[in-house]
Amino acid sequence: MKPGSQRRPVLRLAALAGLILAGACRPQALPAPLQPGIGDPYFPSSGSVGLDVLHVELDLRPDFAARTIDGSARLSIEATQRLERFSLDLAGLAVEYLTIDGRPVALEREGSELWIAPSAPIAAGTTFDVEIAYSGAPGQETPEAAFRFSQGWQFFDGGAYVASEPDGASRWFPANDHPSDKATYTLRLSVPPPYVAAANGRLLEVVQEGQTRTFVWESADPLAAYLVTVVIGDLQVREGLAPGGPPLRSYYPAEADEAVIAQFDGIAQMLGYFETLFGEYPFAAYGTVVVPTELPFALETQTLTLYGRNFDGSPNVIAHELAHEWFGNSVSLQHWRDIWLNEGFATYASYLWYEHLTDREHAQVELHALYRTLRQSDERINLAIGDPGPERLFDEAVYVRGALTLEALRDTVGDSRFFEILRTYAERFRHGNASTQDFIDVAEEVGERDLDRLFHAWLYEVEVPFMPGWGDEPGL
Ligand code: TRP
Ligand code: ZN
């Protein structure tokens, strides 16, 4: 129960490179290249210029023996500028055909970019459908390597799961792989018995055809590509209701005993409490999935948090992942450098839950202890979390110092303004994107004061600010 018991091992940086140049097909000279990515300096090739993906339909048939996937993606896209050529992110899978509004078009593969040249330029504001049939073996990583820098679709003995933060979505479907372009999704997952397929949103239907069952999942609320998940295994489902909140549905390994399932019993209550702090739960459902394999992480995949079979049930991790539904999933990053808006907020929320179970003083004792540790740590641990760099995106400092930044804000503006700031921010950017400046603007507006110095010191300077009363007065 003590937040201090939350272990977040030091980052092991998996190779970001290693993308396979897939069978390039050059039917004709294409118009001059554009930028490959949406312009995020941390992931320069992620995302696409000039596209707003509105809806994505994925139809997938995994082959568990061959460890391949085979299927199609239909993306409904609005051109935000005139498009002579555009790119989607797709790494390492073979494209069988590609059409725009039903007509075959030229394509070219270049690293993780899938360049597409429509037969005639698409005017700004036009909505069009891209359909892509694709297949192959999605890149497989050890769970250790997938920790913190995930690699999309992963098979294991007994099923498959998807974990893609920050840039692994393109390893299992053609995506505008950046959180600044969210879309709604329909997933059709066709699997043989005894497999059950869980995914984000709501299960619309299960269609039986011979031996195959197709699980049709729909997310009517938009989500970032990295938050799309699929978990397939021999799973059992448990359904419930959060009082006054969304329907709950959670998936566990078929053989999981009641003690494992009971670890998540507190979620309905936790969700209700977070609604009082952050505002109404932003999505149509919530639940967890315990993947029937060991994972060294949990991931806040939208409406369906991912845990491994080895998860120890720690309530502060459950609280952390649940809080991401508001902070990270509903309000998403505009740039990856703003990662503290996800991890600092979720970490702080786990202390808010602890405070609820105990009292403010107990939570403060923990937070101040964290603060003292951070003050004593050097730059191998500590860092300017407002711009941590792509390699240190998920460093422990982003979590800890991010949480302490919120504690410092609360200390400065007082409880009632502080929670009003969180609610205003969650409400104003609901189902959208925000940057650190957006949060500072809300804090200054609701807090009714200039907070530039506070945020500058906490986010953009390496040295940890001195906080009177936090227990490390100089000379003590
Ligand atoms: N966002 C996750 C958390 O804080 C951590 C994480 C980052 C992660 N990248 C990941 C987990 C990739 C799994 C895979 O809970
Ligand atoms: Zn997190």
Side-chain angles (χ1 to χ4, degrees):
M1 175 164 59
K2 277 175 69 169
S5 67
Q6 185 165 337
R7 289 304 324 136
R8 294 202 170 268
V10 173
L11 169 74
R12 192 108 38 93
L13 176 60
L16 284 171
L19 299 168
I20 301 153
L21 187 73
C25 132
R26 293 164 197 275
Q28 69 199 49
L30 297 173
L34 303 164
Q35 262 172 270
I38 205 165
D40 189 317
Y42 283 19
F43 298 96
S45 67
S46 289
S48 316
V49 177
L51 306 185
D52 179 3
V53 178
L54 306 174
H55 185 72
V56 178
E57 278 179 48
L58 301 178
D59 222 315
L60 295 176
R61 283 168 301 278
D63 181 332
F64 294 93
R67 300 204 160 193
T68 56
I69 55 175
D70 179 354
S72 67
R74 190 174 312 121
L75 289 79
S76 169
I77 301 175
E78 186 183 326
T80 59
Q81 64 186 51
R82 183 173 186 273
L83 298 172
E84 284 185 21
R85 187 180 199 251
F86 60 92
S87 75
L88 292 170
D89 301 308
L90 182 67
L93 295 157
V95 172
E96 271 112 53
Y97 72 78
L98 192 154
T99 61
I100 294 183
D101 292 335
R103 285 182 297 278
V105 295
L107 69 102
E108 192 178 296
R109 304 292 296 271
E110 187 188 0
S112 58
E113 301 300 317
L114 170 60
W115 288 104
I116 302 168
S119 44
I122 297 170
T126 310
T127 298
F128 58 99
D129 284 332
V130 175
E131 194 172 329
I132 300 168
Y134 67 102
S135 63
Q140 299 294 289
E141 304 293 333
T142 63
E144 276 301 311
F147 180 56
R148 299 301 159 100
F149 281 99
S150 70
Q151 304 300 329
W153 182 293
Q154 303 292 310
F155 284 104
F156 58 88
D157 287 335
Y161 71 89
V162 168
S164 306
E165 188 181 21
D167 67 339
S170 60
R171 299 184 67 146
W172 70 285
F173 70 95
N176 185 4
D177 193 5
H178 194 271
S180 58
D181 185 13
K182 302 193 196 185
T184 54
Y185 283 75
T186 306
L187 270 67
R188 290 192 191 77
L189 305 160
S190 300
V191 293
Y195 289 121
V196 168
N200 318 81
R202 294 179 38 190
L203 180 62
L204 288 191
E205 55 175 341
V206 182
V207 183
Q208 179 109 30
E209 248 179 338
Q211 275 295 294
T212 303
R213 284 193 294 175
T214 300
F215 292 80
V216 183
W217 286 89
E218 186 184 72
S219 278
D221 299 315
L223 63 159
Y226 82 90
L227 293 170
V228 183
T229 193
V230 169
V231 176
I232 300 171
D234 185 1
L235 304 173
Q236 53 174 311
V237 62
R238 296 295 171 100
E239 292 174 304
L241 210 62
L248 302 175
R249 77 280 176 271
S250 292
Y251 287 82
Y252 304 98
E255 74 281 1
D257 55 37
E258 291 304 318
V260 168
I261 294 167
Q263 291 179 325
F264 299 94
D265 280 353
I267 280 184
Q269 217 198 331
M270 202 183 264
L271 196 150
Y273 182 61
F274 282 172
E275 286 193 311
T276 70
L277 298 182
F278 311 145
E280 197 191 342
Y281 177 76
F283 302 117
Y286 186 65
T288 58
V289 54
V290 175
V291 183
T293 192
E294 299 205 351
L295 300 176
F297 56 75
L299 184 63
E300 68 269 22
T301 36
Q302 191 158 308
T303 72
L304 189 69
T305 303
L306 203 76
Y307 296 95
R309 189 175 56 192
N310 53 316
F311 175 58
D312 66 1
S314 155
N316 56 297
V317 175
I318 295 175
H320 176 109
E321 303 304 339
L322 174 59
H324 271 310
E325 299 296 334
W326 284 263
F327 304 113
N329 299 3
S330 169
V331 183
S332 300
L333 304 179
Q334 186 65 41
H335 292 105
W336 280 108
R337 83 169 84 87
D338 297 327
I339 187 66
W340 84 279
L341 295 173
N342 288 9
E343 301 308 345
F345 282 54
T347 302
Y348 195 68
S350 67
Y351 286 87
L352 291 172
W353 179 246
Y354 179 65
E355 176 178 332
H356 179 63
L357 295 181
T358 57
D359 54 36
R360 175 77 173 128
E361 243 176 71
H362 277 82
Q364 267 175 339
V365 166
E366 295 292 329
L367 286 160
H368 293 169
L370 270 188
Y371 170 74
R372 288 192 300 276
T373 309
L374 194 69
R375 284 270 283 182
Q376 284 152 19
S377 62
D378 63 26
E379 279 152 51
R380 280 169 304 174
I381 294 183
N382 187 27
L383 95 143
I385 58 167
D387 195 1
E391 270 108 63
R392 302 189 69 180
L393 209 45
F394 299 104
D395 263 27
E396 195 159 355
V398 172
Y399 292 72
V400 167
R401 189 166 170 156
L404 292 171
T405 302
L406 291 178
E407 174 71 6
L409 174 65
R410 182 175 173 184
D411 228 44
T412 306
V413 300
D415 277 19
S416 85
R417 281 199 167 94
F418 174 73
F419 289 107
E420 197 52 40
I421 289 168
L422 293 188
R423 275 191 294 274
T424 305
Y425 171 71
E427 168 65 28
R428 189 168 297 171
F429 299 98
R430 184 174 187 267
H431 293 176
N433 296 86
S435 64
T436 296
Q437 192 56 50
D438 289 324
F439 180 69
I440 295 173
D441 289 347
V442 170
E444 293 189 327
E445 174 192 318
V446 177
E448 294 184 280
R449 74 201 71 195
D450 180 357
L451 294 163
D452 279 347
R453 278 191 44 203
L454 176 125
F455 283 111
H456 195 273
W458 275 94
L459 301 175
Y460 300 110
E461 279 164 26
V462 176
E463 197 195 332
V464 183
F466 171 66
M467 295 299 291
W470 285 23
D472 76 334
E473 278 75 3
L476 283 188

